[in-house]
Amino acid sequence: MAQAFIDLYSDTKSLPTDGMRKAMMTAVVGDEQKDEDPTVLKLCERVADLLGKEAAVFMPSGTMCNEAAVAVHCRPGDELICDRTAHILNSETGAPAAISGVTIYPIDTRYGIFDRVALRKAIRPDSRYIQPSRLVVVEQTSNFGGGRVWPIETIDEVVDEARQAGLKLHMDGARLLNAQIASGISAKRYAEKFDSAWIDLSKGLGAPVGGVLAGERDFVKSAWRVKQRLGGAMRQAGFLAAAGLYALDNHVDRIAEDHEHAKMLAIGLSKIEGIRVNPDDIETNIVFFDVAGTGMKGVDFVARLKAQGVGMGAFGETTIRAIPFIGHSRDDIQRAIDTIAQLVQANIRSNSKVA
Ligand SMILES: *Cc1c(COP(=O)(O)O)cnc(C)c1O
């Protein structure tokens, strides 16, 4: 019998559980853009509280959370500062420039985490020739930094430096709850000094759609206007919000399982000749590894792996990313490791035949 496909491409591929589907089916709904959807209102209150903010707004995506925040905090001609690998710079189709007229100053780091000194160097001097720095974006956890958790001391330092320079602060918390589970430090503590912060419902939490952006009441009022302008205002969105509420009730603590699976995967892969990964680098649910030593290119590796029933992503020439999520078992992870070991072996054999 054919075995089920194991998709480790991203936690965005997580599917609603039966309990979540039931919660969605039975949600009480209304017109959310008239503030008449009780389930959306409940979700917003819940996330505002979770992040220690006055209010929150439900968005169709994390991308819109980021871009609404940029639009509210900045004016055209301003600059935002973020890590070189940040989602807001690399995966949002240039929206800070296209929507808000904002330039980006990227900081080069090892794991997507910059410190006070690096931030200080990135802040523009006050000059009529130079666009003013306005906003600092922190991505907790850092996706392309390999799921690294910003240490709270580093966050406090960066916040302090930004405040001294009069800058605003925004937290891209797509995986903030992963940081909470990994470190034991609350999402509220991580986000408390930021002007805005959001969490994604459709990643590790396993909901189908949406992100929730929180901040002070005035900020959220302005973010609502941007949401309306971008066509992000919805109607009976409570069906989606119900999935988010269900996830916050039932899927937060279980994120620890994803972290265990990521560690297990990294340890297994580290024993395969030709694959390079340091299991100590894995802090949450994201595993990056390098396949240069196998003689395969990343896209080739991923295509052949897919044919064997395992999905992963190729980023860069020989870099592969895997992200376990809800629904994966230890057996699935073991099968992914075994499949890769066989694939690498088969590749070595066929290469030696050619030679
Ligand atoms: C996925 C992601 C986003 C965007 O979220 P969507 O809901 O997919 O729009 C933003 N930032 C980071 C770090 C992400 O991983």
Side-chain angles (χ1 to χ4, degrees), residues 10-12 60-64 66 86-88 91-92 139-144 172-175 198 200-203 210-211 286 321:
S10 172
D11 46 7
T12 55
S61 70
T63 300
M64 198 178 284
N66 273 342
H87 194 281
I88 205 166
S91 306
E92 299 183 11
E139 192 176 290
Q140 177 74 307
T141 66
S142 165
N143 183 342
F144 283 93
D172 173 340
R175 296 186 181 82
W198 62 274
D200 214 321
L201 304 176
S202 67
K203 302 255 165 100
I286 301 179
R321 190 189 69 182

Side-chain angles (χ1 to χ4, degrees), residues 106-125:
I107 300 178
D108 288 300
T109 66
R110 174 82 177 81
Y111 293 109
I113 296 165
F114 49 85
D115 61 9
R116 172 197 285 276
V117 177
L119 175 59
R120 191 177 298 156
K121 284 189 199 145
I123 297 172
R124 301 288 197 175

Side-chain angles (χ1 to χ4, degrees), residues 145-293:
R148 281 290 178 126
V149 178
W150 283 67
I152 193 66
E153 302 77 26
T154 310
I155 286 191
D156 285 346
E157 256 183 40
V158 160
V159 167
D160 186 56
E161 191 68 31
R163 292 303 182 205
Q164 280 182 36
L167 307 185
K168 297 276 187 187
L169 287 142
H170 170 70
M171 178 171 281
D172 173 340
R175 296 186 181 82
L176 174 56
L177 291 171
N178 291 82
Q180 172 178 300
I181 293 297
S183 68
I185 295 171
S186 70
K188 186 177 286 185
R189 174 66 185 88
Y190 281 125
E192 68 185 350
K193 297 175 180 174
F194 285 68
D195 298 290
S196 50
W198 62 274
I199 57 165
D200 214 321
L201 304 176
S202 67
K203 302 255 165 100
L205 285 176
V209 175
V212 186
L213 174 65
E216 298 310 295
R217 220 168 289 286
D218 282 350
F219 167 83
V220 169
K221 192 174 169 199
S222 300
W224 243 113
R225 193 166 283 133
V226 179
K227 160 169 149 142
Q228 196 79 40
R229 181 175 298 148
L230 297 178
M234 297 174 273
R235 298 298 183 184
Q236 285 72 36
F239 290 116
L240 303 173
L245 282 166
Y246 182 89
L248 289 172
D249 284 336
N250 298 284
H251 292 174
V252 176
D253 291 338
R254 66 143 307 282
I255 287 175
E257 200 176 293
D258 300 338
H259 296 179
E260 283 161 26
H261 288 162
K263 188 70 105 177
M264 175 184 170
L265 180 64
I267 291 170
L269 294 177
S270 71
K271 293 176 183 152
I272 299 172
E273 209 185 317
I275 289 189
R276 218 170 38 150
V277 58
N278 180 359
D280 292 339
D281 280 345
I282 312 307
E283 294 186 350
T284 57
N285 62 337
I286 301 179
V287 180
F288 276 98
F289 59 97
D290 191 279
V291 296

